[in-house]
Each structure stands twice: as structure tokens, then as C-alpha cells.
């Protein structure tokens, strides 16, 4: 589906900075951007706070207006404007998620080491937690247990798990979900 006449008109109005054009643009595509943000976060197994979702939506719209609507000027009309914006929004959100993850890891690396008495208790708790996780993993098949170990105990990403286990990256999430479901059932019984 190509560019509709309504979107062509809206696009021209924005690029010419006509009155209310930007407000109309935001009104028309806000629902799409919110959907893309929520869907992308869900695909990455992230739960977003309302504030985070709003921040990602704002990032998308700021990117659209940046450099005198450069993103809209690049649009060639080979698809619908909604399709183009969905792709752009997804890329911006994925970049934002990765940047936040990197920032969180960098921040954790900068923090001072814990006090000795707290560190020992924390270490003991982690060992207990790890032992509890290992005990629960017995309820899983070996391949599922390995995915849970790699993700939750070693902190590997879906991509890293995919490479290590030689499985498609898009199969890691569903396998992890099935394993978690089995673990919850094992914990209840």
C-alpha cells in the first residue's frame, strides 16, 4: 500500500510548517508510536513504566522533527507513512533500550564495592538463590534448563544464547517462557 492522499497532505503541511500540521501529525500517529513502543518492549521481555513508555514516544517524535524534519524528508512514499513511521519508531526504541542497558551496566561498574559485612551476606544470599534455582531446574529438560541458566544465572542475551546453543535467536524467548511456566508449576507442586 502506498502513500494515501490524506498522509501526503499531512506530510506536505508538516514540511511547510503549516499551522496545526504538527499537532495533526502527532494526533494521527500517537497510537501507532505507543503500540510500537509497547510491542518492542514486550518483544525484548521488558516491562516499561508509563514514564518510560512516554519517554520513548517523545524520543520518536523528537527524532521526527530533528534537523528540520529530516526523517520525513527522507520518506520516498514507497509505502504508507504509517509503515515508515513504525519502522523508524522501532529502530529508535531498540536503540534507546540498548543505550539504557549499556548505561545501567556502566553505572553498576562504577559503583564502589559493597561494605565487607554486607558483601558477605549478599554473597551468601546469592549462593542460596542459585542453589534454589538449580534445585528448580531439575524439573526442566536439559535444553530448557540450559537456557534458564544462561539467561538468569549468567546474564546472557538472547543473541548470545542463540550463538552458544546453535538455535535461532527468535526461539530463545518462547523456550524461556515455556521453561518459566514449568518452573512456576514445579514451585507450586
Amino acid at each position: 500500500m502506498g502513500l494515501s492522499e490524506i498522509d501526503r497532505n499531512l506530510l506536505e503541511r508538516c514540511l511547510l510548517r503549516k499551522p496545526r500540521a504538527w499537532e495533526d501529525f502527532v494526533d494521527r500517529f500517537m497510537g501507532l508510536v505507543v503500540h510500537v513502543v509497547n510491542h518492542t518492549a514486550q518483544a525484548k521481555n521488558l516491562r516499561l513504566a508509563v514514564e518510560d513508555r512516554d519517554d520513548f514516544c517523545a524520543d520518536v517524535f523528537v527524532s521526527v522533527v530533528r534537523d528540520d524534519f529530516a526523517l520525513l524528508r527522507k520518506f520516498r512514499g514507497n509505502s504508507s507513512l504509517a509503515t515508515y513511521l513504525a519502522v523508524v519508531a522501532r529502530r529508535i526504541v531498540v536503540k534507546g533500550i540498548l543505550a539504557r542497558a549499556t548505561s545501567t551496566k556502566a553505572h553498576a561498574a562504577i559503583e564502589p564495592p559493597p561494605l565487607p559485612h554486607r558483601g558477605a551476606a549478599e554473597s551468601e544470599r546469592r549462593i542460596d538463590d542459585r542453589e534454589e534455582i538449580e534445585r528448580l531446574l531439575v524439573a526442566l529438560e536439559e535444553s530448557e534448563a540450559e537456557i534458564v541458566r544462561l539467561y538468569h544465572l549468567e546474564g546472557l542475551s538472547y543473541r548470545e544464547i542463540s550463538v552458544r546453543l546453535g538455535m535461532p535467536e527468535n526461539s530463545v524467548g518462547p523456550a524461556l517462557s515455556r521453561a518459566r511456566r514449568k518452573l512456576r508449576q514445579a514451585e507450586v507442586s
Side-chain angles (χ1 to χ4, degrees):
M1 181 173 155
L3 182 62
S4 71
E5 194 56 40
I6 292 170
D7 287 344
R8 183 183 317 278
N9 185 325
L10 181 57
L11 187 59
E12 285 176 19
R13 289 177 45 226
C14 281
L15 295 177
L16 295 173
R17 298 181 177 267
K18 296 283 184 174
R20 291 232 9 105
W22 179 244
E23 289 83 359
D24 292 344
F25 184 92
V26 171
D27 287 346
R28 179 156 175 81
F29 294 110
M30 178 57 85
L32 171 72
V33 171
V34 169
H35 172 76
V36 169
V37 169
N38 288 335
H39 182 76
T40 304
Q42 184 180 13
K44 301 285 183 187
N45 284 329
L46 295 175
R47 290 187 186 163
L48 290 181
V50 174
E51 299 82 20
D52 293 329
R53 186 199 65 215
D54 292 347
D55 286 347
F56 281 124
C57 289
D59 291 346
V60 170
F61 285 112
V62 165
S63 295
V64 170
V65 298
R66 185 176 292 127
D67 297 327
D68 193 31
F69 296 98
L71 280 173
L72 293 182
R73 293 182 191 286
K74 290 179 184 176
F75 177 60
R76 298 290 167 234
N78 298 331
S79 65
S80 71
L81 186 54
T83 300
Y84 177 74
L85 287 173
V87 171
V88 166
R90 183 177 186 289
R91 288 180 180 162
I92 291 167
V93 172
V94 167
K95 253 187 197 176
I97 289 170
L98 292 174
R100 286 182 181 198
T102 303
S103 170
T104 302
K105 286 179 185 174
H107 179 71
I110 293 171
E111 288 182 2
L115 298 173
H117 67 279
R118 283 180 41 198
E122 178 69 21
S123 180
E124 203 170 296
R125 195 183 94 237
R126 280 192 191 147
I127 290 169
D128 289 344
D129 289 349
R130 186 175 184 92
E131 288 172 355
E132 177 68 13
I133 292 170
E134 292 288 350
R135 186 186 65 74
L136 287 171
L137 290 179
V138 175
L140 299 176
E141 296 174 19
E142 184 53 40
S143 60
E144 293 171 323
E146 185 63 18
I147 291 171
V148 171
R149 266 189 215 96
L150 293 173
Y151 186 78
H152 287 288
L153 298 178
E154 294 186 29
L156 298 184
S157 68
Y158 284 10
R159 174 167 288 159
E160 292 167 327
I161 293 169
S162 164
V163 169
R164 184 166 304 175
L165 298 181
M167 66 188 295
E169 184 177 349
N170 60 354
S171 298
V172 175
L176 193 54
S177 294
R178 283 190 300 275
R180 286 178 183 143
R181 194 170 30 253
K182 287 182 181 179
L183 285 173
R184 280 191 292 275
Q185 291 169 350
E187 202 171 23
V188 170
S189 18

